[in-house]
Amino acid sequence: MKARLRFALNGHLPEGLPLELRLEGEELRGVLRQENPVLGEVVLPFASRLEGEYLKALPLPPPSLRIEGRMRAQGSAVELELELELILPEGQSWGERAFARILELLFFKGLERSLPQAALSPV
């Protein structure tokens, strides 16, 4: 399951966005913080490499986010189009896989509630 985010940065992130971003050279790094009804606060790191205007995900151990997309200058603002995928540990049993699916659905539902409607679209 994936979600697509689209927003403009005018020197800061839009209000209420649960992302922390920082550009370190050619890498976009950060975390997404979310309150999960099963696990409490979840902090999911992510890292992507900037190749031209495209972001390519760098591998991180689970739990984490895989983020790819585009980063374009629009006048004085930067427009971000991000595709997010939740990376969880591989379940060995059907119960572990079912639990991971429940966590994934809770994650995307929480993300949907925490973002402005215009920023989020399902993939």
Side-chain angles (χ1 to χ4, degrees), residues 7-87:
F7 52 90
L9 301 175
N10 296 312
H12 60 282
L13 288 169
E15 186 101 5
L17 200 63
L19 285 173
E20 297 172 17
L21 299 172
R22 64 188 178 284
L23 190 59
E24 299 174 354
E26 296 295 311
E27 290 185 5
L28 179 68
R29 292 189 169 269
V31 297
L32 183 140
R33 294 180 187 279
Q34 185 183 73
E35 195 61 36
N36 182 291
V38 176
L39 303 173
E41 184 183 47
V42 176
V43 179
L44 298 165
F46 60 87
S48 299
R49 170 164 275 116
L50 193 57
E51 297 176 5
E53 67 178 29
Y54 293 94
L55 291 165
K56 303 292 182 186
L58 297 173
L60 293 177
S64 62
L65 289 177
R66 183 176 193 277
I67 292 185
E68 294 194 333
R70 293 175 71 177
M71 189 169 157
R72 296 184 300 226
Q74 298 286 337
S76 63
V78 173
E79 183 180 282
L80 284 174
E81 291 179 28
L82 304 176
E83 190 173 284
L84 285 78
E85 183 177 3
L86 180 61
I87 306 300

Side-chain angles (χ1 to χ4, degrees), residues 66-119:
R66 183 176 193 277
I67 292 185
E68 294 194 333
R70 293 175 71 177
M71 189 169 157
R72 296 184 300 226
Q74 298 286 337
S76 63
V78 173
E79 183 180 282
L80 284 174
E81 291 179 28
L82 304 176
E83 190 173 284
L84 285 78
E85 183 177 3
L86 180 61
I87 306 300
L88 295 172
E90 193 68 37
Q92 300 302 311
S93 69
W94 70 267
E96 290 172 348
R97 290 188 296 275
F99 184 66
R101 182 75 174 137
I102 290 168
L103 291 177
E104 184 179 45
L105 291 171
L106 287 171
F107 168 76
F108 283 109
K109 194 64 169 166
L111 187 62
E112 185 179 283
R113 281 192 307 270
S114 67
L115 294 174
Q117 238 1 301

